[in-house]
Amino acid sequence: MTTESKDVLGVEFYDDDDENEDAQKDMYFTFQVGDEEYGVDISCVLEVAGLQKITEVPDMPGFVKGVINLRGQVIPVIDVRLRFKMAPMEYNDRTCILVVTIREMFVGLIVDQVRDVVHIKEENVEPPPRMSNKPGSRYIKGLGKLEEEVKILLDLQKLLYDEELEKIESAVE
């Protein structure tokens, strides 16, 4: 039974709604960065926003492009290509901002393009490959097998180190 609803950035969320949780189980929102498709747990996704004016904030990590004003809410924006140490790419009409929650904070992720919402059963998710202690391997949750494709599933809660998150939070306040 629903106990409370919240309207966050135009999206309604329900606490303690078992039915809603079951519907979202094993559901991933997928997007493309470079040649790869990535997926994030759909429960972390608030909305997809078009690219808009980004206000630069000084003294931020290089992958933090700045902040946007989304319906009165200041949202920090991260370029996923830069976070993944990929070559920068000029933004185009498919580039968009995926607004997600990372440790109870709204964050915009600039992605090359959004793809789909897919259902990947837990038994079709392989653990991430062992890539020693490379920084990028910490935020890979697993590899989701979907027919002939593989989606790289990310753990958004590990996308930012504590120090990076603190720096971004202080810039937004």
Side-chain angles (χ1 to χ4, degrees), residues 85-123:
K85 299 192 181 341
M86 295 178 169
M89 186 180 91
E90 195 169 314
Y91 300 147
N92 59 43
D93 60 337
R94 292 185 176 196
T95 307
C96 55
I97 299 174
L98 183 62
V99 181
V100 298
T101 54
I102 298 178
R103 294 188 243 164
E104 300 180 18
M105 181 173 146
F106 300 135
V107 176
L109 304 177
I110 299 175
V111 299
D112 293 352
Q113 69 179 11
V114 295
R115 300 302 266 168
D116 225 341
V117 174
V118 297
H119 181 254
I120 303 175
K121 293 180 182 174
E122 194 173 332
E123 60 263 21

Side-chain angles (χ1 to χ4, degrees), residues 55-87:
T55 303
E56 286 187 40
V57 178
D59 198 30
M60 285 288 119
F63 59 86
V64 178
K65 298 303 281 185
V67 296
I68 59 171
N69 180 347
L70 192 60
R71 289 186 292 288
Q73 179 88 29
V74 176
I75 310 279
V77 178
I78 294 171
D79 188 317
V80 176
R81 282 180 153 275
L82 299 179
R83 180 60 179 158
F84 291 175
K85 299 192 181 341
M86 295 178 169

Side-chain angles (χ1 to χ4, degrees), residues 4-153:
E4 178 185 345
S5 88
K6 301 176 200 164
D7 182 25
V8 181
L9 294 177
V11 178
E12 207 163 312
F13 292 91
Y14 299 93
D15 291 336
D16 301 327
D17 188 351
D18 294 335
E19 195 173 298
N20 191 35
E21 281 181 29
D22 287 346
Q24 292 183 355
K25 182 175 174 15
D26 300 332
M27 298 298 289
Y28 294 90
F29 189 97
T30 62
F31 57 89
Q32 189 167 336
V33 178
D35 294 331
E36 301 300 329
E37 276 195 43
Y38 296 87
V40 295
D41 190 318
I42 190 117
S43 65
C44 296
V45 177
L46 298 174
E47 74 174 84
V48 176
L51 207 52
Q52 53 195 280
K53 179 172 178 2
I54 299 172
T55 303
E56 286 187 40
V57 178
D59 198 30
M60 285 288 119
F63 59 86
V64 178
K65 298 303 281 185
V67 296
I68 59 171
N69 180 347
L70 192 60
R71 289 186 292 288
Q73 179 88 29
V74 176
I75 310 279
V77 178
I78 294 171
D79 188 317
V80 176
R81 282 180 153 275
L82 299 179
R83 180 60 179 158
F84 291 175
K85 299 192 181 341
M86 295 178 169
M89 186 180 91
E90 195 169 314
Y91 300 147
N92 59 43
D93 60 337
R94 292 185 176 196
T95 307
C96 55
I97 299 174
L98 183 62
V99 181
V100 298
T101 54
I102 298 178
R103 294 188 243 164
E104 300 180 18
M105 181 173 146
F106 300 135
V107 176
L109 304 177
I110 299 175
V111 299
D112 293 352
Q113 69 179 11
V114 295
R115 300 302 266 168
D116 225 341
V117 174
V118 297
H119 181 254
I120 303 175
K121 293 180 182 174
E122 194 173 332
E123 60 263 21
N124 291 333
V125 177
E126 297 287 327
R130 290 198 148 280
M131 297 192 289
S132 69
N133 291 332
K134 287 188 175 179
S137 63
R138 73 184 212 98
Y139 39 76
I140 297 177
K141 178 179 175 178
L143 302 174
K145 297 180 288 184
L146 189 64
E147 296 172 14
E148 300 299 314
E149 298 178 18
V150 174
K151 313 285 185 192
I152 301 169
L153 305 178

